[in-house]
Amino acid sequence: MTGVLDQAAVVAPTPARSARGLRRPVMAVAAIVLLLVLWELVKVLVPENGVSFGGVRVLPRTDDGALPHVWSVLAALTEPEVNVAGARSVGAAIVSSGLFTFGLAVLGFVLGAVVGLVLAVAMQRFVWVERSVLPYVIVSQTVPLIALAPLVAGWGGKIAIGGYAWQPWMSITVIASYLAFFPVAVGMLRGLRAPDRASLDLMHSYAAGWWTTLLRLRLPASVPHLIPSLRLAAAAAVIGAVVAEISTGTTGGIGRQIIVFSQQATGDASRLYAAVLGAAVLGLVVSGLVALLDIALGRYAGRTPARRADS
């Protein structure tokens, strides 16, 4: 029976997936170029004071203090962070702070993904778990993050794990995982229920138990649902880390760097936009890690065991 199950679980990669893998980077670059073009079009077409109707502003200001040119933002990367000889550049400061936030976001993403996967498997296995837990999972995402971050930091300050005091970066990781677990739990639950009745009946005919069915059928069938959920979770983890850094005042991350540059943005917001774009690039990098995972799990996405048996 093991040989039959192994044959049912193997999925051959399709050429369409390879083509999509090549198109995605091209589309990502094209989207960035289009964004920059629209940015400059707004600078050209919208007046510096914006557009107002009846005293209500419908289009924002486009002066350099509100929306600098793209080349001004790029030029700001080479400027010194502070007016001191030998000071590091703005670009170096953004890279350094971005790496700090990247580590916390990835850690929070992994933690949130694991929690989401465990919850999804438990809810699929036991109906009473789904009925009792899923409503709270949904309600948890209605709590404003900017209000939750100081609470987590305050609670963490009273915790010591194995004699090791709670560190500020732990609060950021917890908040990032808090945002990341929800899309994984919901998407994975849907994926675990994706197999059709014919596939489940086929596994039953092999006398496969719940655990074997989970490994051989439900998990491979959940990959097309899991990958988009992980993409959302990766973006949410970055957002959670950045907002948590701002809300808790943690230094070293790109969230704090955004606050510093916003205080310096009096007549020119180039540095602030450079930091914001750095956070956006950080989100793209974390999402790129999910794309690598998609490639690694690509062989599991395909036809169900029932259809493979028919072929």
Side-chain angles (χ1 to χ4, degrees):
M1 184 184 74
T2 303
V4 176
L5 293 178
D6 290 337
Q7 184 178 2
V10 173
V11 180
T14 60
R17 291 185 62 84
S18 300
R20 288 199 302 268
L22 294 176
R23 288 198 301 265
R24 286 173 181 172
V26 176
M27 294 178 63
V29 174
I32 294 175
V33 173
L34 179 60
L35 175 63
L36 298 180
V37 171
L38 291 176
W39 185 329
E40 287 302 320
L41 284 177
V42 171
K43 286 283 292 183
V44 173
L45 299 178
V46 180
E48 290 190 354
N49 293 326
V51 177
S52 301
F53 287 104
V56 178
R57 191 184 303 275
V58 295
L59 291 178
R61 296 185 299 111
T62 59
D63 59 299
D64 291 339
L67 184 67
H69 287 284
V70 173
W71 53 84
S72 299
V73 175
L74 297 178
L77 296 175
T78 61
E79 298 176 355
E81 183 182 8
V82 293
N83 296 325
V84 178
R88 64 178 180 176
S89 64
V90 171
I94 293 176
V95 171
S96 177
S97 59
L99 291 175
F100 178 84
T101 304
F102 172 78
L104 299 182
V106 170
L107 185 58
F109 166 70
V110 173
L111 179 60
V114 171
V115 172
L117 290 173
V118 172
L119 282 176
V121 172
M123 288 188 291
Q124 187 280 321
R125 180 66 178 89
F126 304 103
V127 177
W128 64 269
V129 173
E130 178 186 359
R131 293 177 178 176
S132 59
V133 173
L134 186 58
Y136 293 100
V137 170
I138 297 175
V139 170
S140 68
Q141 300 304 299
T142 63
V143 179
L145 186 61
I146 194 172
L148 181 64
L151 292 178
V152 173
W155 294 333
K158 303 177 182 179
I159 297 176
I161 302 176
Y164 185 74
W166 187 271
Q167 301 297 316
W169 64 266
M170 295 180 180
S171 300
I172 298 173
T173 300
V174 169
I175 295 169
S177 64
Y178 169 80
L179 290 185
F181 92 95
F182 175 75
V184 176
V186 175
M188 188 63 179
L189 178 61
R190 182 178 180 183
L192 292 175
R193 293 175 174 173
D196 53 23
R197 175 53 58 182
S199 300
L200 294 173
D201 289 342
L202 178 61
M203 299 299 293
H204 182 71
S205 68
Y206 294 151
W210 175 83
W211 182 252
T212 302
T213 303
L214 175 67
L215 295 179
R216 305 288 185 175
L217 175 62
R218 294 190 183 274
L219 287 180
S222 67
V223 171
H225 300 270
L226 176 62
I227 296 302
S229 300
L230 289 177
R231 292 182 185 274
L232 292 176
V238 174
I239 294 173
V242 173
V243 174
E245 290 173 352
I246 295 175
S247 301
T248 61
T250 304
T251 59
I254 199 168
R256 186 61 182 175
Q257 203 68 53
I258 291 175
I259 294 297
V260 172
F261 288 152
S262 66
Q263 295 172 350
Q264 301 175 358
T266 53
D268 187 2
S270 298
R271 294 188 174 190
L272 174 59
Y273 274 87
V276 172
L277 290 179
V281 171
L282 179 61
L284 294 176
V285 172
V286 178
S287 298
L289 297 179
V290 179
L292 296 178
L293 181 62
D294 186 14
I295 296 174
L297 297 178
R299 67 187 185 89
Y300 291 103
R303 300 175 297 171
T304 61
R307 294 177 180 174
R308 288 195 292 272
D310 293 338
S311 60

